[in-house]
Amino acid sequence: MRTEFVDIHAHFLPADAVAAFGRPQLVKATGRVDNGGTAMAVLGKQVILPAALSDLDGLLADMERRGIAKRYLSIPPFLFLYELGDREADAWAAAYNDSIIELTRARPERLAPVATLPMGSPDAAVAELERVVRLGVRMVQLATNVLGRELGEDCYRPIFEALHRSGAMALLHPHYIQGRYGSNRFHLRNLVGNAFETSYSAAHLAASGVLDEFPGIRLCLSHGGGALPYLRGRLQRGGDVREDVPLADIDQVLRSFYYDSAVFSSESLDFLAAVVGADRIFYGTDFPFDMSDPLGPDERFAKFGPAVRVKLPRDLPGQPLGPFTTIPAPSEIAAGTKHGEEER
Ligand SMILES: [Zn+2]
């Protein structure tokens, strides 16, 4: 049986989401740009979207080309819009979620929705999570901070409790980059700032006890966890020698998260697998942005060393994500070993 690869990290904006929101003074399309992209006014700022962000045929063709069986579609981060006031934020999350649920419902074998939550109000976020889970959603996407507030702060505990209870996975996606790394000269806000932001957010979640309180919670870190796996030694040393660092076993922390494979380097992916375990890594592209993975999953994971076994999720009815499908090590293929069997 051929391994069915799932893309856990891909963005899509259904064409009708903005219209369904119905607040053109806050978000509206303002026209086409030369390369076919769409210009939008978002909270008074001009944003240029790649045409592929709302092109369903193009997205499906890209999946075909790369050999991706199924894609989880999430909101592009600049549309989290946690800045909106409570009622507007609720309306925006509901408009996006209803649109992406509707779009993916027509192709459940190829596409799955990733919901966004109005994180500015934890109560509203829990209510929206519970609503979309009732509609069949198995995954949400959260920004790595809420307008500068860390997800590890006590006020967000009800959201993690609800995630834990529902079994839904949350993709933590860097956004709202603060301070020094907020400057985008040379695109470094994305290249460096995003990676640091995810690392900081994940370390804060671990140190603040969220992972201990909700063991088994499914939190997936974008871009291979940013710099987090490489910071393993520093974090462990801090936990060993400092009383104000409640990190006793950093390897256990690192293995509590899931990770996407969007690091774009086979050496980095090998290192990630060595530190966190290959079974914690999902294929993720960051489609359709220019910084998305140029390689399909077969090629991306083919470069793994022969000893590495990679498990990727398959989506089955009634289960949030999984069971996992094992990709064979090249040596097993050569030896004719049966592979691709589901692991329970
Ligand atoms: Zn992304």
Side-chain angles (χ1 to χ4, degrees):
M1 184 178 75
R2 192 176 183 279
T3 301
E4 293 188 328
F5 284 97
V6 171
D7 181 1
I8 206 94
H9 183 168
H11 301 291
F12 197 80
L13 178 63
D16 56 359
V18 170
F21 181 44
R23 272 73 158 183
Q25 73 279 18
L26 298 172
V27 184
K28 70 174 173 187
T30 55
R32 293 257 167 219
V33 294
D34 287 347
N35 63 4
T38 305
M40 289 184 80
V42 178
L43 306 186
K45 284 192 203 145
Q46 173 92 348
V47 178
I48 305 294
L49 310 182
L53 195 58
S54 298
D55 176 4
L56 183 59
D57 290 341
L59 177 131
L60 292 167
D62 179 79
M63 291 171 65
E64 208 60 53
R65 196 163 48 242
R66 296 186 199 228
I68 296 168
K70 188 165 191 171
R71 221 166 210 171
Y72 282 75
L73 304 182
S74 53
I75 200 167
F78 59 85
L79 289 175
F80 279 130
L81 305 190
Y82 296 166
E83 301 91 329
L84 292 171
D86 286 353
R87 279 181 50 193
E88 303 291 22
D90 295 357
W92 170 238
Y96 179 83
N97 293 340
D98 288 347
S99 299
I100 199 74
I101 288 168
E102 192 62 33
L103 179 138
T104 53
R105 191 174 273 162
R107 297 166 187 78
E109 70 294 343
R110 306 299 313 277
L111 303 175
V114 178
T116 188
L117 302 179
M119 294 292 286
S121 161
D123 287 347
V126 169
E128 181 63 4
L129 173 62
E130 290 174 343
R131 185 183 79 89
V132 296
V133 165
R134 282 196 299 274
L135 296 173
V137 169
R138 295 290 174 264
M139 190 165 163
V140 302
Q141 182 181 234
L142 308 179
T144 41
N145 72 75
V146 182
L147 308 173
R149 296 194 76 171
E150 298 302 331
L151 295 175
E153 290 184 23
D154 287 347
C155 62
Y156 301 115
R157 283 297 198 278
I159 298 169
F160 291 103
E161 202 276 329
L163 279 169
H164 179 75
R165 190 162 15 93
S166 69
M169 175 177 272
L171 176 67
L172 299 191
H173 198 294
H175 197 59
Y176 300 116
I177 310 294
Q178 308 291 310
R180 172 165 163 68
Y181 301 114
S183 160
N184 206 24
R185 187 91 201 276
F186 309 122
H187 204 52
L188 293 181
R189 182 173 61 205
N190 183 355
L191 304 184
V192 176
N194 272 357
F196 286 2
E197 166 60 26
T198 301
S199 314
Y200 192 97
S201 175
H204 191 283
L205 274 173
S208 59
V210 169
L211 303 178
D212 296 331
E213 233 170 283
F214 307 111
I217 193 169
R218 297 160 180 247
L219 303 178
C220 182
L221 304 181
S222 297
H223 314 127
L228 190 73
Y230 202 73
L231 293 174
R232 172 195 191 200
R234 283 184 68 77
L235 292 166
Q236 184 64 63
R237 182 71 182 149
D240 288 346
V241 302
R242 292 193 56 100
E243 281 184 11
D244 59 348
V245 181
L247 295 173
D249 182 350
I250 196 61
D251 284 339
Q252 188 188 2
V253 166
L254 291 173
R255 289 183 191 128
S256 298
F257 291 110
Y258 292 88
Y259 302 80
D260 74 19
S261 64
V263 294
F264 315 143
S265 147
S266 53
E267 290 83 2
S268 299
L269 200 56
D270 276 344
F271 179 74
L272 177 64
V275 170
V276 307
D279 59 328
R280 309 303 284 187
I281 304 174
F282 298 130
Y283 178 66
T285 57
D286 220 345
F287 180 87
F289 297 113
D290 56 0
M291 284 297 298
S292 65
D293 196 335
L295 300 186
D298 284 324
E299 205 177 345
R300 175 55 71 203
F301 287 99
K303 292 183 178 177
F304 264 38
V308 173
R309 294 170 67 83
V310 185
K311 297 172 184 175
L312 299 173
R314 291 182 65 208
D315 194 41
L316 292 180
Q319 292 182 282
L321 287 165
F324 294 106
T325 301
T326 303
I327 298 178
S331 58
E332 291 175 316
I333 301 174
T337 312
K338 263 179 75 177
H339 63 270
E341 304 285 352
E342 287 166 11
E343 284 195 0
R344 306 257 169 200

